[in-house]
Amino acid sequence: QVQLVESGGGLVHAGGSLRLSCAASGRTFSDRGAGWFRQAPEKEREFVAAISWSGGSNTRYADSVKGRFTISRGPAKNTVYLQMNSLKPEDTAVYYCAADSRIGRILVPTARWEYDYWGQGTQVTVSS
């Protein structure tokens, strides 16, 4: 089993930055890809960013956040970060960390149904 706990959300003005963290427990998390998703009120949960189990440059981003957000893994690979810069009001949402349902997948997925493990979410609010 994998358990995920997000932190780092908060209220920030437009143009500001936040860094979200996702701390994982469970022996297999370091062998799984990890993703960040977000859900705004009355909207579907959407993909934001993902990183493969190996980390590094094997990452994927939603078009809406490319160039502004960066996903990374800690040295022990049991923590995943989302650095969010140049935040916009439309980035306001609850952000969720998730772990890939499969171990060792080379191409990390972007579809939420490919992820079996989810955190409880952290609220990010960007004021204009």
Side-chain angles (χ1 to χ4, degrees):
Q1 285 287 3
V2 175
Q3 293 183 322
L4 305 171
V5 179
E6 303 97 333
S7 61
L11 173 64
V12 64
H13 291 298
S17 298
L18 282 174
R19 188 193 197 203
L20 304 184
S21 298
C22 173
S25 60
R27 292 181 302 166
T28 64
F29 180 76
S30 60
D31 298 324
R32 299 177 186 270
W36 286 96
F37 291 75
R38 66 186 181 187
Q39 188 167 17
E42 300 182 357
K43 290 191 175 181
E44 295 281 326
R45 190 171 299 190
E46 65 176 5
F47 169 75
V48 175
I51 189 166
S52 75
W53 66 273
S54 59
S57 61
N58 197 348
T59 57
R60 303 178 75 178
Y61 295 93
D63 287 343
S64 59
V65 306
K66 277 181 184 175
R68 300 188 298 123
F69 291 11
T70 303
I71 189 171
S72 61
R73 299 189 81 129
K77 297 185 181 178
N78 59 355
T79 304
V80 177
Y81 303 100
L82 185 67
Q83 177 67 44
M84 305 186 295
N85 298 329
S86 303
L87 282 161
K88 305 175 181 179
E90 51 263 44
D91 294 318
T92 295
V94 177
Y95 283 70
Y96 297 90
C97 177
D100 191 352
S101 61
R102 298 184 188 177
I103 292 174
R105 186 155 25 188
I106 295 175
L107 182 62
V108 63
T110 62
R112 62 181 186 270
W113 52 85
E114 297 278 13
Y115 291 81
D116 274 355
Y117 306 98
W118 294 83
Q120 82 290 348
T122 185
Q123 176 70 47
V124 171
T125 303
V126 185
S127 63
S128 57

